[in-house]
Amino acid sequence: YAIEQIRAALPSTAKILNAIQAGFVEFSKDRVVVGNVSHLKFEGHTKHPGDMCVKSGYVRGDEFFVVKVASGWPNNQTNTKGAVSNSQGCMLVFSQTTGELQAVLADGGELTDIRTSAAACVCARALAPSKVQTIGFVGAGCVGSLTGLMMRKLFPEAKLLVWSRSKITSGTFKAKMEARGWQSVTVVGDAADVRECDVIVTSTPSETPLLMEVKKGAVVIALGADCKGKRELGPNVFKGACVVCDSKAQCLEFGECVHAVAEGKVRENGVAELGVLLAMAGEDGKMPLDRLGMEGKTTVVDLTGVAVQDVSIASLVYESLSQAKHLDADPSPSPTQSSSLPK
């Protein structure tokens, strides 16, 4: 399936968020099987650095399993003046019962960006304070922009602050957010300028800390450290914080938690898994923060990306594509018959 077909098959943002949330819950209940993550880092072309990962998994008893190839090339948009996305890749959907290949979703990395941004929104919805006045973005690329667009319905009154190493990218981010209806979008000169925000989303490929401190009570959602060597948060961000991760096993191998544990800021047994918490969320996706003793405390969420997210988004899209294909295959009604098929 081509990218145009995939985009047309995407369900509503609310449905995507709920599917991603349900996937995390299933994962933490040990109902999901994931393969070992494979990473490659490309260093042969100094002007074109990149990295790639392969993730695979399935939900026990479901219809499909998914293998996903995703890569990030942080200079693509700058080098091509916006013509080529920094994210690339595809998803392969297979039958759990026969092993047959059902579909190649040639999404160019968009589905990975969407499921990553959706995970950030699920965390913000669940863990943010009751009144969010400011949201800060460290990184304004594909994932940062998608997260900002998805958050519009969650926090419509919030003001946005954004920092990016590229003025072109931050300018594009600002234009996209204003077009979506955000009333206040400010480009700032340093990552430190977002430290007073209520919610902060980091989504860069940095290998050195960019955000060194945050205010007490902030919710920090770190998306960038998706393989060994990457890091966006300084040690003081974890001071007195509740620490949550998508996969404890994975985040203690790579991610922000590796550095926090090594520096003595976090104990391994002090990290909570996201799906365990989300299982206690209400119908609106919000966590009972007061009951959990998390209200008013700084929360750091380390999201390294789990294959169940790929399974969730690929299954949604493939089921929609299959349904559309089935409808297209139905014989056209005769002139004397009425039809409820969409025009």
Side-chain angles (χ1 to χ4, degrees), residues 213-233:
E213 59 182 358
V214 298
K215 72 174 185 178
K216 183 179 179 181
V219 174
V220 182
I221 303 168
L223 304 170
D226 55 1
C227 65
K228 290 181 179 179
K230 291 185 179 180
R231 183 181 190 184
E232 299 181 290
L233 309 181

Side-chain angles (χ1 to χ4, degrees), residues 249-284:
Q250 192 165 286
C251 288
L252 292 173
E253 181 182 350
F254 56 87
E256 298 294 342
C257 287
V258 171
H259 307 289
V261 169
E263 293 164 352
K265 298 298 182 181
V266 178
R267 299 190 308 274
E268 286 190 18
N269 62 4
V271 179
E273 199 162 80
L274 179 60
V276 174
L277 297 180
L278 290 176
M280 294 181 276
E283 291 186 4
D284 59 358

Side-chain angles (χ1 to χ4, degrees), residues 36-338:
N36 292 331
V37 181
S38 175
H39 290 285
L40 281 178
K41 187 172 183 180
F42 300 94
E43 301 172 323
H45 302 277
T46 55
K47 292 183 179 180
H48 305 279
D51 60 79
M52 180 277 299
C53 76
V54 179
K55 293 179 178 178
S56 58
Y58 64 91
V59 179
R60 300 178 196 272
D62 275 8
E63 191 173 353
F64 311 115
F65 72 90
V66 174
V67 178
K68 188 273 299 282
V69 179
S71 62
W73 306 86
N75 292 344
N76 273 3
Q77 290 205 310
T78 301
N79 290 342
T80 66
K81 297 182 179 179
V84 179
S85 171
N86 291 354
S87 297
Q88 297 295 323
C90 68
M91 293 189 182
L92 309 178
V93 181
F94 297 87
S95 166
Q96 271 197 48
T97 55
T98 68
E100 293 175 288
L101 177 64
Q102 302 296 302
V104 177
L105 303 179
D107 65 303
E110 282 194 25
L111 291 179
T112 294
D113 292 342
I114 291 168
R115 63 77 146 157
T116 302
S117 301
C121 290
V122 166
C123 294
R125 180 175 69 178
L127 300 168
S130 56
K131 188 169 181 58
V132 173
Q133 295 181 315
T134 52
I135 304 172
F137 291 85
V138 176
C142 303
V143 170
S145 294
L146 274 171
T147 305
L149 295 174
M150 286 185 177
M151 283 188 174
R152 177 77 178 98
K153 289 187 177 180
L154 298 179
F155 312 108
E157 303 301 321
K159 297 179 180 180
L160 306 187
L161 280 70
V162 59
W163 173 84
S164 171
R165 65 195 178 106
S166 165
K167 291 183 178 179
I168 295 174
T169 305
S170 57
T172 301
F173 177 98
K174 178 179 171 66
K176 286 181 178 179
M177 298 308 114
E178 290 175 342
R180 179 55 63 94
W182 289 104
Q183 296 301 304
S184 175
V185 186
T186 303
V187 176
V188 297
D190 193 278
D193 294 334
V194 308
R195 65 185 181 276
E196 293 296 319
C197 290
D198 301 312
V199 175
I200 301 172
V201 179
T202 65
S203 58
T204 75
S206 181
E207 296 183 354
T208 56
L210 297 172
L211 188 65
M212 304 306 295
E213 59 182 358
V214 298
K215 72 174 185 178
K216 183 179 179 181
V219 174
V220 182
I221 303 168
L223 304 170
D226 55 1
C227 65
K228 290 181 179 179
K230 291 185 179 180
R231 183 181 190 184
E232 299 181 290
L233 309 181
N236 286 339
V237 174
F238 290 86
K239 187 177 181 180
C242 302
V243 181
V244 181
C245 69
D246 49 11
S247 164
K248 288 188 71 171
Q250 192 165 286
C251 288
L252 292 173
E253 181 182 350
F254 56 87
E256 298 294 342
C257 287
V258 171
H259 307 289
V261 169
E263 293 164 352
K265 298 298 182 181
V266 178
R267 299 190 308 274
E268 286 190 18
N269 62 4
V271 179
E273 199 162 80
L274 179 60
V276 174
L277 297 180
L278 290 176
M280 294 181 276
E283 291 186 4
D284 59 358
K286 296 183 181 298
M287 296 292 305
L289 299 179
D290 53 346
R291 183 156 58 86
L292 293 170
M294 299 175 68
E295 192 167 28
K297 292 185 177 180
T298 303
T299 302
V300 178
V301 187
D302 184 11
L303 299 181
T304 54
V306 186
V308 71
Q309 297 167 253
D310 303 312
V311 175
S312 298
I313 190 71
S315 296
L316 280 177
V317 169
Y318 178 59
E319 287 166 2
S320 178
L321 288 166
S322 298
Q323 186 176 35
K325 187 175 182 180
H326 174 72
L327 291 174
D328 289 342
D330 283 346
S332 299
S334 69
T336 59
Q337 293 176 312
S338 63

